[in-house]
Amino acid sequence: MTEAYWEDTMHSILKTSLAALVAFGATASTAMADAHSLSGELRITSDMSNPAPRAVMEGLVEDFGALHPELEIDLTIVDREAWKTQIRNALGANPPDVVNWYAANRMRPYVDAGLFADISDLWAEPEFEALASTKGAMTLDDKQWGVPYTYYQWGVYYRKDIFDQYGLSEPTTWEEEMANCQTLLDNGVKCYTIGTKFLWTAGGWFDYINSRTNGYDFHIALARGEIEWTDDRVRQTFANWRQLIDMGAFIEDHQNYSWQEALPFMLNGEAASYLMGNFAVAAMRDGGLTDDQLDFYQFPVINASVDYAEDAPTDTFHIASGAQNMDAAKEFLRFVTSAEVQTEINGGGALGQLPVNANASIDDDKFLEQGFEMLSSNANGGIMQFFDRDFSAEMASVGMEGLQEFMVFPDSLDDILARLEETRQRIYE
Amino acid sequence: MSSADTNRSWYKRNEIAITPWLFLLPAMLFFAVYVIIPIGQSFWISLHEWDGLGDKTWVGTANYERLLGIGDQNIDRKFEVSFWNNLRWLVLYLLAIPAGLFIALFLNQTVTGIRLYKSLFFFPFVISQVVVGLVFSWFYLPNDGLFDVIIGWFGLDIRGGVLGNPNTATYGIIAAGLWPQTAYCMILYLTGLNAVDPEQVEAARLDGAKGRKMLWYVILPQLKPATFIAFVVTIIGALRSFDLISVMTNGGPFGSTRVLSFYMFEESLSEFGFRMGYGAAIAVVLFFIMLGFIVYFLWSMYQDDKGAR
């Protein structure tokens, strides 16, 4: 607490009590009960530029501003894709106080360069115990560098009506998955749609097959560069994957399509399922599928001796190490992660994703409910952040290109693995 | 020295020598700040390992050794692919010059509505490269794309689609790039044809020249300046073929359509990039390739100047 803080408090005792009253009335939250007067300017740069997230972000600022009337909040919203490269310049000179980013290894360059503030003290507060499930993803070098605000599950979204038509049920084992797929193929329906033009979709398949074959710990060790790509266990992953490729399970010419361009195959029934993140549900509903036609199952077991591990990418808020208003920034992170706010911003009318706070409630949506159930009780192996966030940037880009090539020319596997191994050695050794 | 001379101010005395430099100064300043100094900085960065955020680490020529495979490492395959693709672009893009000449000769006549035809032929150059790329990528789509339907009539099928097949993707993009580039060359030749001396054509006719001979010995020599400009813009166009690649294939499938400029962008500025030193090394190599052409252009312009004098 700074002198300025005390001075401000003295000068505006009346306003402070009013603000506290408003805080009590507005949210009746215990986290907000000690809402002390924050003042000055809080500058936030957000990448929530799509229509629904943008409304959420603007709502967050408005509500937070109502709690702290002394505080002047300056919100800048940057295009989500552009932000992936702009963040570097933004954090450089005269940085904003709070910025959006992603969890896990994606934080690494900014942590190493000292641009993200260490907020381990925030995580030590009792309220943050409700966020324990995502603590690992926010931790690098045994310190926490940001807070999550939303995440979403990955899994197999499938056409229930097509499954019913051929008498199929949700598979739980690899054998059932393959048997289902064979039935579909015999009836002229592709098992999976996928668009690999932008590569990352293939990363999802690798995450799942590798973690189901070799387990979460192996997968993460591979991501950290501790295991050779030419290892027999990695080859086993590709051998499992190849079973599907050789069956012709995936739609043809997928290297031409983005993930959205691959959707029509599922919408018009040429393909039965899609391994995707939950964000695809909105697009599928827009495409005309009803909730009766669309359902979800967890990626099946391949090796019964390893636990389920799930992809659940987490989006985050961070404080810049050069923040001018550290108190307000920390208070904002507390606000965003509180149970009430989490329930509100992840609801069906807002982000439509999973809240990170265990005390928050899930929106009444069958995919969110299944996803939350899956992640909280059936992902004992661990939570993966996704191929391009768990692997280092260079390894991810070379790796995903290799995965795409494998899906088109599986015979080139030796060549691909040799290339990935060469890259791994150069990066990590 | 006369007393009149000494009475005049220093500037007045040296006016003739200084004024040209004063006029040149703004241009020289901007050229230095925006061109010369950045080139020097690229060289400097290419000798470091740097993520664009922290401190630079001096690595000497290690980036170049990795790029070119000097020592006990293999040549960077992405670099190799990009380099050969650049050559393909340079050679095949030059087809725009004869194609542009052909269309210009064809359109260089007086029929009703010729202005409309000319502007329609020029149309592809006016629309953005991004739009050209999008239109062509739909044209090339497997199964539904018009191109796939057409070659299907002849019983042909390209596995994975034109842009999905590593053997055809680069040629597909070059064909898309030729569409606007041909229009550009056509305009250059149309203006050139306006300047052709009718008396020479008449004289050649009297001597019995026509058809191909007329074109080769009478028209083309007069079009030499237009050809030179068309060559320059086409070479430059081929070397900066970044936008079409980015829109149509994003470098894929499996990196088979990368060119040096795209690879440089990917390494240094893209989402998974920020290896500034390595990207700068690629930029330096690209710079030297361009320098070869630039020197040739300058030399050739200098020769023309000398000839004219």
Side-chain angles (χ1 to χ4, degrees):
Chain A
M1 294 198 181
T2 61
E3 266 182 9
Y5 167 80
W6 282 115
E7 242 171 56
D8 273 349
T9 322
M10 299 307 280
H11 283 298
S12 57
I13 257 181
L14 187 66
K15 277 186 184 165
T16 315
S17 356
L18 268 176
L21 270 175
V22 170
F24 269 120
T27 65
S29 140
T30 47
M32 293 300 131
D34 62 341
H36 43 260
S37 154
L38 293 167
S39 61
E41 195 186 20
L42 176 66
R43 292 187 303 145
I44 303 174
T45 303
S46 168
D47 70 346
M48 298 162 77
S49 59
N50 294 325
R54 189 186 186 103
V56 165
M57 189 64 222
E58 283 166 356
L60 276 177
V61 166
E62 203 171 299
D63 293 348
F64 190 65
L67 290 173
H68 303 282
E70 299 268 288
L71 193 65
E72 199 181 310
I73 306 177
D74 177 19
L75 172 67
T76 311
I77 293 182
V78 180
D79 176 73
R80 194 170 170 90
E81 290 305 313
W83 181 242
K84 288 176 179 170
T85 49
Q86 277 181 19
I87 183 175
R88 310 184 141 244
N89 300 333
L91 288 176
N94 190 22
D97 300 298
V98 175
V99 296
N100 277 129
W101 194 236
Y102 307 98
N105 228 330
R106 270 318 251 306
M107 305 189 293
R108 176 62 74 182
Y110 311 98
V111 171
D112 284 350
L115 294 172
F116 280 166
D118 172 8
I119 54 164
S120 306
D121 55 333
L122 213 58
W123 280 86
E125 292 171 11
E127 287 85 0
F128 275 74
E129 272 163 30
L131 302 176
S133 65
T134 51
K135 188 169 183 179
M138 304 311 304
T139 306
L140 284 178
D141 307 334
D142 298 324
K143 292 171 190 147
Q144 286 78 45
W145 304 95
V147 298
Y149 67 90
T150 188
Y151 69 139
Y152 52 87
Q153 82 270 20
W154 271 64
V156 184
Y157 294 83
Y158 72 100
R159 284 283 298 269
K160 195 169 170 31
D161 51 343
I162 297 180
F163 269 48
D164 289 345
Q165 186 183 340
Y166 301 116
L168 305 176
S169 55
E170 296 186 359
T172 53
T173 66
W174 191 241
E175 288 71 34
E176 287 172 29
E177 176 85 25
M178 304 249 293
N180 274 0
C181 185
Q182 195 56 54
T183 309
L184 288 168
L185 289 172
D186 291 344
N187 288 288
V189 178
K190 288 287 185 186
C191 314
Y192 316 103
T193 185
I194 184 172
T196 57
K197 183 177 179 183
F198 295 100
L199 308 179
W200 54 268
T201 46
W205 275 93
F206 180 80
D207 281 351
Y208 273 103
I209 300 184
N210 192 41
S211 64
R212 291 287 190 275
T213 306
N214 298 309
Y216 174 83
D217 293 333
F218 178 88
H219 182 75
I220 292 302
L222 183 68
R224 290 204 193 104
E226 291 158 9
I227 289 166
E228 293 182 6
W229 278 93
T230 45
D231 190 291
D232 280 342
R233 289 167 290 181
V234 179
R235 285 184 187 277
Q236 184 57 47
T237 299
F238 282 101
N240 291 340
W241 196 351
R242 184 159 184 169
Q243 292 180 308
L244 294 180
I245 296 171
D246 286 346
M247 287 168 82
F250 298 96
I251 60 163
E252 274 166 25
D253 308 332
H254 51 76
Q255 68 270 35
N256 289 286
Y257 309 119
S258 65
W259 78 264
Q260 294 100 329
E261 285 166 341
L263 269 175
F265 293 95
M266 181 151 164
L267 300 181
N268 61 29
E270 286 173 57
S273 52
Y274 205 166
L275 177 68
M276 249 303 141
N278 194 58
F279 54 83
V281 169
M284 289 174 187
R285 283 176 179 154
D286 285 348
L289 293 184
T290 63
D291 279 11
D292 294 332
Q293 289 175 293
L294 195 59
D295 210 343
F296 169 85
Y297 65 84
Q298 187 169 16
F299 198 91
V301 171
I302 294 177
N303 173 356
S305 65
V306 299
D307 270 331
Y308 285 107
E310 293 297 324
D311 263 334
T314 309
D315 291 353
T316 54
F317 278 106
H318 302 267
I319 301 178
S321 55
Q324 300 296 309
N325 199 340
M326 197 61 89
D327 287 336
K330 283 187 175 166
E331 189 57 39
F332 183 73
L333 299 197
R334 285 188 198 102
F335 171 75
V336 169
T337 49
S338 66
E340 289 80 7
V341 172
Q342 277 297 306
T343 304
E344 193 187 321
I345 67 172
N346 285 297
L351 294 175
Q353 301 194 55
L354 297 173
V356 293
N357 190 312
N359 302 326
S361 45
I362 315 290
D363 197 61
D364 180 24
D365 173 290
K366 73 171 183 180
F367 297 103
L368 291 182
E369 282 164 357
Q370 287 188 56
F372 188 75
E373 176 67 23
M374 176 178 87
L375 292 176
S376 49
S377 63
N378 210 12
N380 298 328
I383 302 284
M384 302 175 283
Q385 286 299 315
F386 200 70
F387 195 88
D388 63 356
R389 301 186 192 181
D390 286 326
F391 286 71
S392 82
E394 191 176 3
M395 194 68 242
S397 76
V398 177
M400 292 190 299
E401 204 167 283
L403 298 179
Q404 185 202 32
E405 184 168 355
F406 172 72
M407 289 190 72
V408 181
F409 297 117
D411 287 336
S412 314
L413 181 63
D414 286 335
D415 188 37
I416 296 167
L417 290 182
R419 213 179 314 155
L420 297 194
E421 176 57 19
E422 197 180 301
T423 308
R424 183 192 72 85
Q425 284 177 10
R426 187 164 44 70
I427 300 172
Y428 295 102
E429 283 171 12
Chain B
M1 208 175 267
S2 71
S3 62
D5 259 3
T6 41
N7 286 342
R8 292 194 308 172
S9 70
W10 181 87
Y11 173 72
K12 281 283 177 200
R13 267 179 286 129
N14 298 288
E15 201 174 357
I16 304 240
I18 290 170
T19 312
W21 290 106
L22 281 180
F23 278 110
L24 276 176
L25 191 66
M28 282 167 60
L29 197 71
F30 279 89
F31 194 65
V33 169
Y34 291 110
V35 180
I36 302 292
I37 296 173
I39 290 175
Q41 284 175 320
S42 287
F43 271 108
W44 181 243
I45 293 172
S46 75
L47 301 174
H48 293 82
E49 197 181 308
W50 186 38
D51 67 355
L53 287 172
D55 294 327
K56 295 192 196 71
T57 325
W58 173 266
V59 293
T61 55
N63 284 329
Y64 294 97
E65 284 164 21
R66 194 184 127 202
L67 204 58
L68 305 170
I70 299 167
D72 58 349
Q73 50 196 341
N74 296 328
I75 184 168
D76 181 345
R77 284 174 50 157
K78 291 181 180 177
F79 174 74
E80 209 180 348
V81 170
S82 310
F83 181 79
W84 287 113
N85 278 340
N86 256 121
L87 282 190
R88 287 193 186 104
W89 271 89
L90 282 171
V91 172
L92 291 177
Y93 223 45
L94 290 176
L95 287 177
I97 298 176
L101 175 66
F102 176 80
I103 296 174
L105 291 172
F106 175 68
L107 289 178
N108 191 37
Q109 46 186 319
T110 40
V111 215
T112 4
I114 192 69
R115 274 169 189 277
L116 178 70
Y117 301 138
K118 281 183 187 172
S119 48
L120 283 179
F121 271 93
F122 188 57
F123 175 67
F125 187 69
V126 179
I127 55 179
S128 149
Q129 295 265 307
V130 176
V131 178
V132 172
L134 264 183
V135 169
F136 265 84
S137 56
W138 292 332
F139 177 63
Y140 288 142
L141 269 186
N143 305 325
D144 311 322
L146 193 56
F147 185 78
D148 207 60
V149 173
I150 292 171
I151 63 167
W153 293 339
F154 302 98
L156 295 171
D157 181 44
I158 295 178
R159 194 185 158 204
V162 177
L163 298 178
N165 188 315
N167 299 317
T168 55
T170 290
Y171 300 108
I173 304 175
I174 295 175
L178 279 176
W179 190 44
Q181 193 62 29
T182 302
Y184 194 10
C185 293
M186 176 203 79
I187 276 291
L188 292 171
Y189 276 122
L190 273 178
T191 47
L193 283 170
N194 276 338
V196 166
D197 186 354
E199 282 178 19
Q200 284 188 28
V201 176
E202 202 122 312
R205 269 224 182 101
L206 286 178
D207 288 343
K210 54 185 170 191
R212 240 176 253 166
K213 281 201 160 160
M214 174 77 115
L215 175 68
W216 189 253
Y217 291 108
V218 180
I219 308 288
L220 273 187
Q222 296 191 59
L223 287 176
K224 201 181 159 218
T227 308
F228 180 70
I229 297 293
F231 183 64
V232 172
V233 295
T234 305
I235 292 291
I236 293 173
L239 285 170
R240 36 174 266 194
S241 45
F242 177 86
D243 29 17
L244 280 177
I245 296 170
S246 175
V247 171
M248 293 175 73
T249 61
N250 202 32
F254 359 115
S256 59
T257 56
R258 278 196 191 93
V259 294
L260 288 175
S261 55
F262 191 84
Y263 187 31
M264 172 189 78
F265 168 81
E266 243 185 6
E267 281 294 310
S268 50
L269 299 169
S270 73
E271 190 183 340
F272 298 109
F274 299 109
R275 292 173 293 284
M276 297 296 184
Y278 201 59
I282 300 167
V284 168
V285 171
L286 184 61
F287 171 73
F288 276 111
I289 295 173
M290 286 195 171
L291 196 66
F293 286 103
I294 293 169
V295 166
Y296 166 74
F297 293 147
L298 290 177
W299 179 79
S300 139
M301 282 200 280
Y302 174 71
Q303 292 296 317
D304 279 2
D305 260 16
K306 260 202 330 205
R309 234 178 271 146

